Amino acid sequence: TETYGQEYVVSKARKFKNQKAAQDAHEAIRPTSVLRTPEQMANYLNDEQLSLYTLIWKRFVASQMSSAEFDHTTVDIDANQYRFRATGSIMRFAGFTTLYEEAAPEASAQDTDTEGKNHTLPSLKKGEAVTLQELLPKQHFTQPPPRFTEASLVHELERLGIGRPSTYASILSTLRDRNYVDDSDRKFVPTELGVMVNELLVQCFPDILNVSFTADLEDKLDKIEGGEHNWVETLQNFYDPFVVDLQNAAETMRDVKKEFEETDEVCDKCGKPMIIRWGRFGRFMACSGFPDCKNTRELAASKEEGDEAAKPAPSMDVKCDVCGKPMALKR
């Protein structure tokens, strides 16, 4: 009230229920007094700490501020036998957005202009004449959903009831560490290896590789923690069908590492044909004379690049701590 005025204060204090996936006392910072403003705390915190404190303080205060008010407006413009429509919103009262506003979910570039709901419209009156300044003919097609970012993937996990705040970081790091995805413009793009692993697992473990199984098991674990479920029975119900699926997978799952694809390339060391194999980092080119010849090459590498790779690795100033010889830089 002192800072923003009475109109920004809610008539009754808001109270919030914990989300199902919330883990109490896991916060880095929990507000203790609204009177400790970021400006007052600036002398006691470094830049990163102050940024974090400011974010939490603003969200804390904004949760008790009045709602923002918008007029959603649709304008029809008649031009001869055609009718053009513009939709948008006009802010009438800023409310809590004066202090804090969450960023909208990231959308694909194609989605940005398909709807004008977020556009700000000028003040117009019924019957007012407008002048055509420019006509931009565009054809829109249904677009696929945008690729996941870190934030949107965590949001989807929360929505589906998968994981907990303490496990989201490990889920994201596993996708990267095992080369299941590439980061492209901060978006997750599945790699060839990731697509292959996903297909094999979904094919052999359909009961486990689905979101309902994970969310249901998370719920059962919560009930075990609360003493409402028998943990032995829960494990037994999971393990019995899992053993059967595991045995079937051992017998029927494709052994991708033994599969290979012939190419027209020849090995620059022994002259035998090069073949394409699968490895832990995806597909690569290897000599068909393995294990006698262990020459390998990146799949996208050209003959010149292969010749370059065959050259001795450059020596470094670092010495080997076992024999004392210079260390060589290899990939």
Side-chain angles (χ1 to χ4, degrees), residues 146-154 156 186-189:
R147 293 202 179 276
F148 283 118
T149 62
E150 279 195 7
S152 62
L153 180 56
V154 169
E156 183 70 3
R186 297 193 306 163
K187 293 180 173 62
F188 289 143
V189 179

Coordinates of all heavy atoms in Angstrom, one line a residue, residues 146-154 156 186-189:
P146 N 6.6 -26.4 -31.0 CA 8.0 -26.0 -30.9 C 8.8 -27.1 -30.1 O 8.2 -27.8 -29.3 CB 8.0 -24.7 -30.2 CG 6.7 -24.7 -29.4 CD 5.7 -25.5 -30.2
R147 N 10.1 -27.2 -30.4 CA 10.9 -28.1 -29.7 C 11.1 -27.7 -28.2 O 11.0 -26.5 -27.9 CB 12.3 -28.2 -30.3 CG 12.3 -28.8 -31.7 CD 13.6 -29.4 -32.1 NE 13.6 -30.0 -33.4 CZ 13.2 -31.3 -33.7 NH1 12.8 -32.0 -32.6 NH2 13.2 -31.8 -34.9
F148 N 11.3 -28.6 -27.4 CA 11.5 -28.3 -25.9 C 12.7 -27.5 -25.7 O 13.8 -27.8 -26.2 CB 11.5 -29.6 -25.1 CG 10.2 -30.3 -24.9 CD1 10.0 -31.5 -25.4 CD2 9.2 -29.6 -24.2 CE1 8.7 -32.2 -25.2 CE2 8.0 -30.2 -24.0 CZ 7.7 -31.5 -24.5
T149 N 12.6 -26.6 -24.8 CA 13.8 -26.0 -24.1 C 13.9 -26.5 -22.7 O 13.1 -27.3 -22.3 CB 13.6 -24.4 -24.1 OG1 12.5 -24.2 -23.2 CG2 13.4 -23.8 -25.4
E150 N 14.9 -26.1 -22.0 CA 15.0 -26.6 -20.6 C 13.8 -26.3 -19.8 O 13.2 -27.1 -19.1 CB 16.3 -26.0 -19.9 CG 17.6 -26.7 -20.3 CD 18.7 -26.3 -19.3 OE1 18.4 -25.6 -18.3 OE2 19.8 -26.7 -19.5
A151 N 13.4 -25.0 -20.0 CA 12.2 -24.5 -19.2 C 10.9 -25.2 -19.6 O 10.2 -25.7 -18.7 CB 12.1 -23.0 -19.3
S152 N 10.7 -25.3 -20.9 CA 9.4 -25.9 -21.3 C 9.4 -27.4 -21.1 O 8.3 -28.0 -20.8 CB 9.2 -25.7 -22.8 OG 10.2 -26.3 -23.6
L153 N 10.6 -28.1 -21.1 CA 10.6 -29.5 -20.7 C 10.3 -29.8 -19.3 O 9.5 -30.6 -18.9 CB 11.9 -30.1 -21.1 CG 12.1 -31.6 -20.8 CD1 11.0 -32.4 -21.5 CD2 13.5 -32.1 -21.3
V154 N 10.9 -28.9 -18.4 CA 10.6 -29.0 -17.0 C 9.1 -28.8 -16.7 O 8.4 -29.4 -15.9 CB 11.5 -28.1 -16.1 CG1 11.0 -28.0 -14.7 CG2 12.9 -28.5 -16.2
E156 N 6.6 -29.3 -18.7 CA 5.9 -30.5 -19.2 C 6.0 -31.6 -18.2 O 5.0 -32.3 -17.9 CB 6.4 -30.9 -20.6 CG 5.6 -32.1 -21.2 CD 4.2 -31.7 -21.6 OE1 3.9 -30.5 -21.5 OE2 3.5 -32.6 -22.1
R186 N 19.4 -23.2 -28.0 CA 18.8 -23.5 -26.6 C 17.6 -24.4 -26.7 O 16.8 -24.5 -25.8 CB 18.4 -22.2 -25.9 CG 19.6 -21.3 -25.7 CD 19.3 -20.2 -24.7 NE 18.1 -19.4 -25.2 CZ 17.4 -18.6 -24.4 NH1 17.7 -18.5 -23.1 NH2 16.4 -17.9 -24.9
K187 N 17.4 -25.1 -27.8 CA 16.3 -26.1 -27.9 C 16.9 -27.5 -28.0 O 18.0 -27.7 -28.6 CB 15.5 -25.8 -29.2 CG 14.7 -24.5 -29.0 CD 13.9 -24.2 -30.3 CE 12.9 -23.0 -30.1 NZ 13.7 -21.8 -29.9
F188 N 16.2 -28.5 -27.5 CA 16.6 -29.9 -27.6 C 16.3 -30.5 -28.9 O 15.1 -30.6 -29.2 CB 16.0 -30.7 -26.4 CG 16.6 -30.3 -25.1 CD1 15.8 -30.3 -24.0 CD2 17.9 -30.1 -24.9 CE1 16.3 -30.0 -22.7 CE2 18.4 -29.8 -23.7 CZ 17.6 -29.7 -22.6
V189 N 17.3 -30.9 -29.7 CA 17.0 -31.6 -30.9 C 17.5 -33.1 -30.8 O 18.7 -33.3 -30.5 CB 17.7 -30.9 -32.1 CG1 17.5 -31.7 -33.4 CG2 17.3 -29.5 -32.2

